[in-house]
């Protein structure tokens, strides 16, 4: 059968012979009206270009712009939009548009509302030849006359809608619908891939920010500064409008606000929150994040800020125990998303640790302040236990210097007046340092003062002290002591030593060590002490000193030593007792320079005079 016969059989008019293949033949389309754009048949080239455009970028905005350009190449539109579905609110929002007003771009379209809402709800394309007679059209542009909306479906899930509008009625045809369906089937997956990539990149960036935040807040030990910094850093990952941190008051069993921001300004809530009410109460009870997308619909919500519409309350847990609540709020419903939930959950553990460390540091600092105050008072008491004045003798001058290694010292010295121109000279060194040594020194000093009324000889006094300390025995506590009695009438010095550093005796430029020994006080019971008597003459000097003098070290680890001490005494032998004592302390200080002292330094100098009255 010839072509003419076929056409005659089908009722077609005769047409000139052409040389095209039968497979290429298509019946003629009606001549479009003057205002209608003729669409050429969809070519493979368009799909290839579409695939290239979608496969060469993962940036969402670039992807949607390229889609819009390709669609414009085959459909001469003026108004175009890609709307994406918010799964939390079930609303469509424009993510890309051409030709729409700002008001239209800001709209949130619920599923089923309007042409695009219908397309998303029914999961089918919607072509409206004349929107003026459509019941579901949302009139945001009075010039629009026709509309075509095609849903974006990925893995049987609607993710958005492509929407094209025209100012001419009956502008869009079935060819346009078919073309847009092909475009939508491909762009849907590309958009989902781009959103996934964006989400992963955003999560990676957020983790990096959270890591930086964690490192920074762990270095802040002042609680007030820490809470303020947490509020500032948290805004880098969550654009909240209200932020507060509540700390648990265990004694009253309430939450007390320690830091709060409201629209960027600091405010100070005085109200205390009960532990069993509101979203914070639910967070404490369930020990997990409580997220209320719309507080007006959550029966657990207890109004604190009237403007609040969405809220997240995260318990701060340290070692299995809730220590507080981190709460953020916003005036927009459904503002917080899964990324925000992950961020606050990840950060909460580090915030709890940092807060607890800061509170611990604060408690330690307060205890240190109290201790410093107590030590200052104890030092004042200790200094008052030292002799306020030196005994005045006609033929002897006495001088003393005392420098503790810390606030409190373990060295003690005293001058006790006896009758008939006699005075006791005491230098002791308690084992240990700081407060324990100072307390033990006060104990020894008190016993000694009470026994001094009996005017005991040096050996008797040391034996009495040792017996008394044995009655009050403390493990590992003892005291070394030199006890001497100066007789101003015959220029003699009676001396007994209980393990103290042996004193120096200087005469005519020669410096010798007084060989007096004995057991420390408080170590052994029933100890007897030897007693020596030194006969002196004018110009002689006796140097009593603690081991902190000779054991003083410089930066190289060298000790000051007895030889340097003897040299200082010899060099200053013609000076007064006060100047000899000053010279010793000055030379020891120069030797140590900036090296920290590790032991108390005490010096007592007795200078024998030739005149009838001490200078």
């Amino acid at each position: 059968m010839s072509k003419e016969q076929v056409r005659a059989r089908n009722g077609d008019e005769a047409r000139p012979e052409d040389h095209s293949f039968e497979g290429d033949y298509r019946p003629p389309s009606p001549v479009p009206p003057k205002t209608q754009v003729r669409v050429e048949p969809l070519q493979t080239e368009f799909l290839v270009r579409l695939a290239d455009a979608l496969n060469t970028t993962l940036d969402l905005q670039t992807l949607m712009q390229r889609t819009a350009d390709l669609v414009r190449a085959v459909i001469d539109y003026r108004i175009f939009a890609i709307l994406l579905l918010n799964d939390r609110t079930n609303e469509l929002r424009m993510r890309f548009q051409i030709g729409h007003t700002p008001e239209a771009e800001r709209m949130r379209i619920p599923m089923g509302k309007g042409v695009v809402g219908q397309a998303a709800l029914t999961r089918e394309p919607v072509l409206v030849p004349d929107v003026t007679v459509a019941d579901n059209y949302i009139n945001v542009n009075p010039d629009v006359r026709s509309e075509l909306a095609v849903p974006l479906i990925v893995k049987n899930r609607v993710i958005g809608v492509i929407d094209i509008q025209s100012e001419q009625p009956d502008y869009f045809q079935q060819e346009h619908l078919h073309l847009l369906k092909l475009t939508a089937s491909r762009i849907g997956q590309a958009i989902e891939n781009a959103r996934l990539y964006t989400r992963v990149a955003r999560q990676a960036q957020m983790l990096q920010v959270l890591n930086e935040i964690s490192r920074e807040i762990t270095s802040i030990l002042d609680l007030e500064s820490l809470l303020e910094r947490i509020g500032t850093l948290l805004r880098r990952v969550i654009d909240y409008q209200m932020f507060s941190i509540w700390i648990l008051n265990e004694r009253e069993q309430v939450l007390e606000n320690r830091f709060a921001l409201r629209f960027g300004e600091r405010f100070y809530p005085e109200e205390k929150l009960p532990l069993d009410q509101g979203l914070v109460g639910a967070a404490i009870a369930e020990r997990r994040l409580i997220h209320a997308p719309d507080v007006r619909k959550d029966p657990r919500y207890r109004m604190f800020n009237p403007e609040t519409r969405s809220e997240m309350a995260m318990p701060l847990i340290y070692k299995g125990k809730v220590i507080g609540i981190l709460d953020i709020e916003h005036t927009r419903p459904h503002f917080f998303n899964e990324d925000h939930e992950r961020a606050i959950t990840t950060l909460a553990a580090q915030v709890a640790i940092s807060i607890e460390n800061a509170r611990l540091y604060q408690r330690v600092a307060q205890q240190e302040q109290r201790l410093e105050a107590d030590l200052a008072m104890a030092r004042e008491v200790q200094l008052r236990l030292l002799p306020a004045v030196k005994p005045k003798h006609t033929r002897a001058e006495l001088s003393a210097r005392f420098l503790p290694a810390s606030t409190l010292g373990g060295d003690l010295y005293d001058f006790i007046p006896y009758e008939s121109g006699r005075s006791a000279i005491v230098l002791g060194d308690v084992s240990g340092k700081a407060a324990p040594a100072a307390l033990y020194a006060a104990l020894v000093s008190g016993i000694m003062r009470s026994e001094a009324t009996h005017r005991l000889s040096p050996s008797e006094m040391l034996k009495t002290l040792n017996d008394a300390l044995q009655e009050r025995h403390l493990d590992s506590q003892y005291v070394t002591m030199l006890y001497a009695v100066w007789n101003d009438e015959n220029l003699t010095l009676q001396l007994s030593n209980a393990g103290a550093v042996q004193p120096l005796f200087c005469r005519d430029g020669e410096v010798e060590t007084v060989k007096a020994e004995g057991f420390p006080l408080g170590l052994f019971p029933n100890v007897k002490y030897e007693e020596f008597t030194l006969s002196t003459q004018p110009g002689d000097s006796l140097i009593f000193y603690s081991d902190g003098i000779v054991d003083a070290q410089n930066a190289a680890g060298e000790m000051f030593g007895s030889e340097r001490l003897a040299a200082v005494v010899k060099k200053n032998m013609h000076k007064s007792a006060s100047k000899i004592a000053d010279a010793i302390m000055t030379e020891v200080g120069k030797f140590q320079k900036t090296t920290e002292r590790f032991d108390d330094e005490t010096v007592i100098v007795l200078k024998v005079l030739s005149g009838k009255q001490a200078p």
Side-chain angles (χ1 to χ4, degrees):
M1 184 180 296
S2 67
K3 292 181 180 179
E4 289 78 2
Q5 292 173 325
V6 171
R7 284 194 289 269
R9 183 174 178 178
N10 292 335
D12 295 335
E13 297 181 358
R15 57 184 286 180
E17 182 77 19
D18 64 28
H19 301 285
S20 59
F21 294 106
E22 288 185 353
D24 290 336
Y25 169 72
R26 290 180 177 81
S29 300
V31 176
K34 185 176 181 180
T35 58
Q36 190 175 16
V37 178
R38 189 172 189 275
V39 179
E40 294 295 333
L42 188 62
Q43 300 294 326
T44 304
E45 180 186 356
F46 173 77
L47 296 178
V48 171
R49 286 192 290 121
L50 180 63
D52 288 342
L54 301 182
N55 293 335
T56 55
T57 182
L58 285 173
D59 179 72
L60 186 58
Q61 287 300 119
T62 303
L63 180 69
M64 293 187 290
Q65 179 66 62
R66 289 181 180 178
T67 301
D69 294 341
L70 285 171
V71 172
R72 187 192 290 274
V74 290
I75 305 177
D76 188 19
Y77 62 77
R78 290 187 60 247
I79 304 174
F80 176 91
I82 296 178
L83 301 94
L84 298 182
L85 181 65
N86 186 321
D87 293 330
R88 293 181 295 109
T89 62
N90 216 27
E91 294 175 335
L92 292 161
R93 174 191 171 192
M94 284 188 192
R95 295 299 300 274
F96 180 87
Q97 62 84 19
I98 297 175
H100 280 285
T101 63
E103 292 77 11
E105 187 177 10
R106 288 193 293 267
M107 289 184 62
R108 305 290 189 272
I109 303 175
M111 289 280 283
K113 300 294 183 180
V115 176
V116 294
Q118 180 184 348
L121 181 65
T122 61
R123 305 163 68 90
E124 294 291 340
V126 177
L127 194 160
V128 182
D130 189 351
V131 298
T132 61
V133 297
D135 295 334
N136 61 343
Y137 175 67
I138 300 176
N139 188 7
V140 294
N141 186 343
D143 296 329
V144 171
R145 288 295 176 267
S146 56
E147 184 173 1
L148 174 60
V150 178
L152 301 171
I153 301 175
V154 177
K155 295 181 180 179
N156 204 33
R157 181 171 65 90
V158 175
I159 67 166
V161 175
I162 295 181
D163 182 69
I164 306 179
Q165 299 177 3
S166 174
E167 296 168 347
Q168 300 178 20
D170 297 310
Y171 183 81
F172 301 109
Q173 304 300 315
Q174 290 298 319
E175 290 88 345
H176 296 142
L177 188 151
H178 180 64
L179 173 65
L180 211 58
K181 284 181 63 176
L182 290 175
T183 303
S185 65
R186 288 159 175 80
I187 191 178
Q189 186 60 56
I191 288 176
E192 192 69 2
N193 291 340
R195 293 170 77 182
L196 178 61
Y197 172 79
T198 301
R199 189 178 302 116
V200 171
R202 187 168 59 246
Q203 289 175 358
Q205 182 181 11
M206 182 174 291
L207 288 175
Q208 182 179 358
V209 172
L210 291 176
N211 184 45
E212 294 174 3
I213 293 174
S214 297
R215 289 202 309 268
E216 181 170 348
I217 63 177
T218 53
S219 63
I220 304 175
L221 292 175
D222 177 70
L223 185 58
E224 186 70 17
S225 301
L226 171 66
L227 299 181
E228 182 176 1
R229 192 60 181 154
I230 290 172
T232 301
L233 295 173
L234 186 61
R235 193 181 288 276
R236 293 176 59 185
V237 291
I238 304 177
D239 188 22
Y240 61 80
Q241 290 181 332
M242 286 156 278
F243 167 84
S244 57
I245 292 181
W246 302 79
I247 301 298
L248 176 64
N249 183 326
E250 295 186 8
R251 183 172 57 84
E252 299 182 15
Q253 285 297 293
V254 293
L255 290 169
E256 297 177 337
N257 185 268
R258 294 301 301 269
F259 186 84
L261 290 173
R262 191 170 182 268
F263 302 109
E265 297 293 332
R266 181 77 186 271
F267 77 112
Y268 303 87
E270 296 182 358
E271 182 180 357
K272 297 180 180 180
L273 302 182
L275 302 183
D276 57 351
Q277 297 181 20
L279 298 176
V280 295
I284 291 174
E286 301 180 26
R287 303 171 68 86
R288 65 176 181 87
L289 172 69
I290 297 297
H291 179 193
D294 190 341
V295 297
R296 295 169 297 183
K297 300 177 182 179
D298 196 316
R300 299 171 297 182
Y301 177 67
R302 181 174 180 265
M303 190 180 72
F304 190 80
N305 291 308
E307 302 89 350
T308 298
R309 291 295 177 267
S310 52
E311 181 175 359
M312 289 197 300
M314 181 67 199
L316 301 173
I317 301 175
Y318 179 76
K319 291 185 177 180
K321 182 179 179 181
V322 176
I323 65 170
I325 288 288
L326 193 157
D327 186 81
I328 58 174
E329 304 167 47
H330 203 279
T331 58
R332 187 192 306 166
H334 302 280
F335 177 79
F336 302 115
N337 55 38
E338 293 180 359
D339 290 339
H340 296 148
E341 291 179 357
R342 280 191 291 269
I344 194 172
T345 302
T346 303
L347 192 59
Q350 190 59 58
V351 168
I353 293 173
S354 298
I355 289 177
E356 195 63 20
N357 287 343
R359 293 169 72 187
L360 177 61
Y361 176 79
Q362 190 177 59
R363 288 194 295 269
V364 171
Q366 291 172 350
Q367 291 173 358
E368 286 182 348
Q369 290 176 357
R370 288 194 295 268
L371 180 59
E372 287 294 332
D374 293 343
L375 289 175
M377 179 60 70
R379 175 173 172 77
E380 182 69 20
V381 172
Q382 184 183 36
L383 292 176
R384 290 182 180 275
L385 291 176
L386 299 178
V389 294
K390 301 183 293 291
K392 290 187 179 297
H393 293 283
T394 304
R395 307 188 65 182
E397 178 193 5
L398 289 168
S399 186
R401 300 291 183 271
F402 170 61
L403 190 59
S406 57
T407 304
L408 296 174
D411 283 4
L412 65 96
Y413 73 91
D414 206 348
F415 301 116
I416 303 174
Y418 278 23
E419 78 289 343
S420 304
R422 296 192 303 160
S423 295
I425 303 168
V426 186
L427 175 60
D429 187 358
V430 176
S431 60
K433 295 177 181 64
L439 289 173
Y440 200 69
L443 171 64
V444 174
S445 181
I447 298 172
M448 181 179 64
R449 278 278 178 172
S450 65
E451 296 294 337
T453 57
H454 302 298
R455 306 295 187 261
L456 300 177
S457 68
S459 59
E460 290 173 338
M461 177 60 80
L462 294 184
K463 182 180 185 307
T464 300
L465 287 175
N466 186 69
D467 292 343
L469 293 177
Q470 282 295 310
E471 294 176 2
R472 302 166 178 81
H473 182 71
L474 294 174
D475 290 339
S476 301
Q477 284 288 356
Y478 61 90
V479 58
T480 62
M481 181 178 288
L482 274 168
Y483 196 95
V485 176
W486 167 254
N487 190 324
D488 203 51
E489 293 182 357
N490 58 16
L491 302 186
T492 60
L493 184 74
Q494 293 175 283
L495 175 68
S496 287
N497 189 356
V501 180
Q502 296 171 333
L504 298 180
F505 179 68
C506 179
R507 172 178 289 176
D508 298 332
E510 297 296 327
V511 179
E512 297 179 356
T513 301
V514 179
K515 303 297 183 180
E517 298 177 346
F519 289 108
L521 304 175
L523 282 182
F524 306 105
N526 304 318
V527 176
K528 293 184 179 181
Y529 294 90
E530 292 185 89
E531 187 171 302
F532 303 87
T533 300
L534 294 177
S535 296
T536 67
Q537 61 187 32
D540 292 348
S541 298
L542 278 157
I543 315 299
F544 304 86
Y545 59 96
S546 64
D547 56 3
I549 297 294
V550 291
D551 290 345
Q553 293 185 0
N554 60 15
E558 297 176 312
M559 290 187 178
F560 187 75
S562 57
E563 292 184 2
R564 286 188 177 89
L565 176 60
V568 174
V569 173
K570 185 175 181 179
K571 181 179 179 181
N572 296 274
M573 58 178 292
H574 298 298
K575 295 181 180 179
S576 66
S578 178
K579 290 185 177 180
I580 293 174
D582 287 338
I584 292 172
M585 300 301 285
T586 299
E587 291 301 320
V588 171
K590 289 181 179 179
F591 179 79
Q592 293 177 111
K593 293 184 179 178
T594 58
T595 305
E596 184 179 0
R597 295 189 308 276
F598 64 89
D599 201 358
D600 304 330
E601 299 170 4
T602 307
V603 171
I604 299 175
V605 178
L606 185 152
K607 179 79 172 186
V608 183
L609 305 176
S610 59
K612 294 184 178 181
Q613 188 175 4

